Amino acid sequence: MDPESEGPQIIKVTPLQQMLASCSGAILTSLMVTPLDVVKIRLQAQNNPFSKGKCFVYSNGLMDHLCVCEEEGNKAWYKKPGRFQGTLDAFLKIVRNEGIKSLWSGLPPTLVMAVPATVIYFTCYDQLSALLRSKLGENESHIPIIAGIVARFGAVTVISPLELIRTKMQSKKFSYKELHQFVSKKVSEDGWISLWRGWAPTVLRDVPFSAMYWYNYEVLKKWFCAKSGLYEPTFMINFTSGALSGSFAAVATLPFDVVKTQKQTQLWIYESHKISIPLPMSTWTIMKNIVAKNGFAGLFTGLIPRLIKIAPACAIMISTYEFGKAFFQKQNTRRQQY
């Protein structure tokens, strides 16, 4: 190996810098994508008012969260009357009548989960990729798939019980003592594994998404660089590669997303109404039921809203993350020179 090819490898971005870059990307992504979901939920609530105990999915661009409707008259942000005529009208009326801050309603509690999950995911992906490249060689095409699978698997496993606790806290104002009692009771009755209820459908959706996303992202990035005659990708190349690979992965994993939402919602209904939970239905059984009821198209319900949410989220997150890493790399280079 000649010294020139060794040069760029010496100046690395540290894990802490990767965490900072992914944290910045996560916050920026949620700030830019959340208003789309807030408007969508407000329109949903207007067309089909949420009753007490009904749950809905809230997305901040990083994670989907199950939120439960509380009985607060029209005080809750998603129940405020608006008389919206459509998406654009809803945007304008919310900003004009309630202030621009209302576009980020409900965001802070979800960031407590979403930002750490994103930081774990992106940092693990980069660390695993670097390790695998050092063992298998720079041009091994399976590295993004392996690193993507392992990183996502780890992030989902760490966050899954915390998300269960967050949903419980949101549905009823628990003190920390009551929360501890709830967790202890759940563990003593159903075992530790019960804290990971809902983990399997999340893994089935997120792990294949991650494998497809990272593989296509790396391929597209190289292809755009080759077409542009560039050695390093620009911000726009990262942005476009992220949007395209995210869109493809979103379409391919949509049936698992439909199943996950259905499973989460059913589970919440059983638990909140104190109904004994029937034998858990497998993902395959739920899919067969959906196809029997709504046809094959039923598995692709909500395709356009999912694409509208995921394409910009993936594009903003990855381009900001890569920009952050490039910034730290320049800082490290300067430090090495002086």
Side-chain angles (χ1 to χ4, degrees):
M1 200 181 265
D2 62 306
E4 279 182 22
S5 65
E6 278 180 14
Q9 290 177 339
I10 296 165
I11 303 138
K12 288 181 180 175
V13 179
T14 66
L16 180 62
Q17 289 171 333
Q18 287 168 349
M19 286 179 184
L20 289 169
S22 54
C23 185
S24 308
I27 291 165
L28 188 67
T29 303
S30 62
L31 288 174
M32 295 186 83
V33 177
T34 297
L36 297 170
D37 212 59
V38 166
V39 167
K40 184 197 82 180
I41 290 165
R42 292 289 294 272
L43 287 165
Q44 273 177 351
Q46 178 180 277
N47 299 333
N48 187 13
F50 296 150
S51 54
K52 189 192 175 188
K54 185 175 178 180
C55 47
F56 58 92
V57 176
Y58 179 100
S59 174
N60 54 24
L62 305 167
M63 271 177 81
D64 289 343
H65 302 271
L66 195 70
C67 291
V68 185
C69 181
E70 299 160 42
E71 194 171 37
E72 290 180 26
N74 286 336
K75 283 183 192 171
W77 65 266
Y78 43 82
K79 282 189 172 183
K80 286 180 183 172
R83 295 194 185 89
F84 308 127
Q85 303 300 315
T87 305
L88 185 61
D89 185 54
F91 261 109
L92 297 171
K93 279 183 179 169
I94 289 168
V95 172
R96 192 170 62 233
N97 302 333
E98 300 169 28
I100 197 162
K101 271 170 41 177
S102 291
L103 290 174
W104 291 276
S105 300
L107 177 62
T110 67
L111 286 182
V112 176
M113 298 289 124
V115 172
T118 307
V119 169
I120 292 166
Y121 176 43
F122 276 79
T123 308
C124 284
Y125 174 80
D126 261 350
Q127 289 295 310
L128 281 165
S129 294
L131 179 71
L132 290 167
R133 280 195 193 101
S134 68
K135 305 281 182 196
L136 305 172
E138 284 291 324
N139 298 317
E140 176 53 60
S141 61
H142 294 103
I143 287 173
I145 299 172
I146 300 162
I149 287 171
V150 176
R152 195 73 214 169
F153 194 88
V156 170
T157 304
V158 169
I159 293 298
S160 200
L162 299 175
E163 178 60 12
L164 179 88
I165 291 164
R166 188 205 64 82
T167 309
K168 198 75 185 171
M169 279 185 88
Q170 191 260 337
S171 67
K172 186 186 169 195
K173 297 292 179 281
F174 274 89
S175 69
Y176 284 106
K177 189 183 174 186
E178 287 171 320
L179 194 64
H180 181 260
Q181 285 169 348
F182 159 72
V183 173
S184 303
K185 187 169 175 261
K186 202 160 181 59
V187 169
S188 63
E189 285 177 2
D190 307 317
W192 280 102
I193 202 79
S194 65
L195 294 178
W196 279 269
R197 190 171 277 155
W199 173 85
T202 308
V203 163
L204 279 171
R205 182 196 64 178
D206 288 4
V207 169
F209 180 97
S210 185
M212 282 183 252
Y213 172 75
W214 286 111
Y215 177 77
N216 288 311
Y217 172 71
E218 299 292 353
V219 166
L220 284 164
K221 200 166 67 166
K222 281 178 188 168
W223 187 79
F224 280 126
C225 283
K227 285 282 173 191
S228 312
L230 296 166
Y231 176 70
E232 285 292 325
T234 60
F235 181 87
M236 209 58 222
I237 285 174
N238 290 330
F239 189 92
T240 310
S241 303
L244 290 172
S245 54
S247 300
F248 173 72
V251 173
T253 58
L254 183 58
F256 295 111
D257 185 56
V258 172
V259 169
K260 179 187 179 288
T261 305
Q262 196 165 317
K263 228 174 181 180
Q264 260 189 328
T265 310
Q266 281 174 351
L267 189 68
W268 178 255
I269 290 164
Y270 288 131
E271 288 203 348
S272 61
H273 291 91
K274 304 284 186 289
I275 304 166
S276 60
I277 298 166
L279 285 168
M281 289 170 83
S282 70
T283 299
W284 180 241
T285 309
I286 293 173
M287 278 187 173
K288 282 201 290 188
N289 289 351
I290 291 168
V291 171
K293 193 178 174 185
N294 306 313
F296 190 71
L299 292 174
F300 290 89
T301 306
L303 175 61
I304 302 302
R306 184 159 156 83
L307 279 177
I308 289 168
K309 177 176 71 183
I310 284 188
C314 287
I316 297 162
M317 181 63 217
I318 196 67
S319 52
T320 312
Y321 179 58
E322 296 284 16
F323 180 83
K325 285 198 300 177
F327 168 79
F328 285 123
Q329 199 160 24
K330 279 177 193 164
Q331 296 294 315
N332 296 348
T333 309
R334 279 199 198 117
R335 272 198 212 106
Q336 217 171 54
Q337 285 170 347
Y338 294 109

